[in-house]
Amino acid sequence: MSDYYNAFEMSPVPTPGPDAVPPEPFRGIYGMPAFVTIPTSDLAASMDFWIRGLGFFELFSIPGTLVHLRRWAFQDVLLVSAASVPEQPPAMSFSFAGLLSQVDSLVEACRSLRPNSVDGPRDTPWNTRDVEVITPENARIVFTAAKPFDPASQEARNLEAMGITPPDVDRDDNVEHA
């Protein structure tokens, strides 16, 4: 038996599929379980790229100091004013989820703002399509979109080898975990 169970009801990310619809931008205030803080030497340029390229919106700001950006619930980014930014992107990245239907427009938007900012898209062995973006602050951001699950695919076999199997649609996987 696996220790993993279906808990998709906790996530704003819709089930992958051709009819998947992205949730509306989430404007509620909540205790953030996780967020990323990114230093920038140009708040306006950074904000423009994150909004027009990556699809975030300004939740609030402290002029000249901080901009709190959000996309969906639990996709929070704090841009903070800094004297300088790293000259090279770090090996570490920050990933946020989206839908397959958003990949092409995100790539196009980011490339129109910063032509050499995008690497990909590329499919992964864990059933996602990922796009790596280097932002004006030299942050390495990965936009990741789950592909529809095909139980006969190599990706399904990869996941099963790790102990992750699709939930049985006829039972409530959370009963024993509630």
Side-chain angles (χ1 to χ4, degrees):
M1 174 164 182
S2 171
D3 288 339
Y4 303 109
Y5 57 94
N6 182 356
F8 274 82
E9 73 278 357
M10 293 180 57
S11 175
V13 181
T15 302
D19 298 329
V21 176
E24 291 296 317
F26 190 81
R27 298 181 186 281
I29 301 297
Y30 52 75
M32 296 184 297
F35 59 93
V36 64
T37 301
I38 299 179
T40 176
S41 56
D42 187 340
L43 274 172
S46 293
M47 202 169 96
D48 183 59
F49 186 83
W50 281 82
I51 290 171
R52 293 192 313 141
L54 296 171
F56 283 71
F57 68 91
E58 180 183 340
L59 186 63
F60 68 84
S61 67
I62 301 169
T65 303
L66 171 138
V67 177
H68 184 154
L69 300 173
R70 180 174 294 151
R71 194 164 170 274
W72 298 349
F74 312 120
Q75 294 182 339
D76 293 277
V77 173
L78 302 180
L79 298 175
V80 295
S81 185
S84 64
V85 297
E87 290 185 30
Q88 296 294 317
M92 185 178 91
S93 64
F94 168 68
S95 298
F96 67 93
L99 299 180
L100 282 175
S101 63
Q102 298 174 311
V103 170
D104 291 341
S105 60
L106 180 130
V107 167
E108 184 180 313
C110 288
R111 283 189 175 141
S112 74
L113 295 166
R114 292 176 50 96
N116 297 317
S117 64
V118 177
D119 184 19
R122 77 175 128 280
D123 290 343
T124 69
W126 46 90
N127 207 41
T128 65
R129 181 160 298 142
D130 290 2
V131 176
E132 184 179 274
V133 177
I134 304 301
T135 69
E137 318 77 43
N138 277 327
R140 186 179 308 275
I141 305 303
V142 177
F143 177 87
T144 185
K147 298 186 306 185
F149 186 76
D150 175 1
S153 70
Q154 180 60 49
E155 290 88 349
R157 290 187 291 279
N158 295 341
L159 293 169
E160 187 173 1
M162 293 183 276
I164 301 172
T165 56
D168 182 349
V169 296
D170 294 331
R171 74 168 220 255
D172 183 357
D173 280 347
N174 286 327
V175 170
E176 67 185 84
H177 302 285

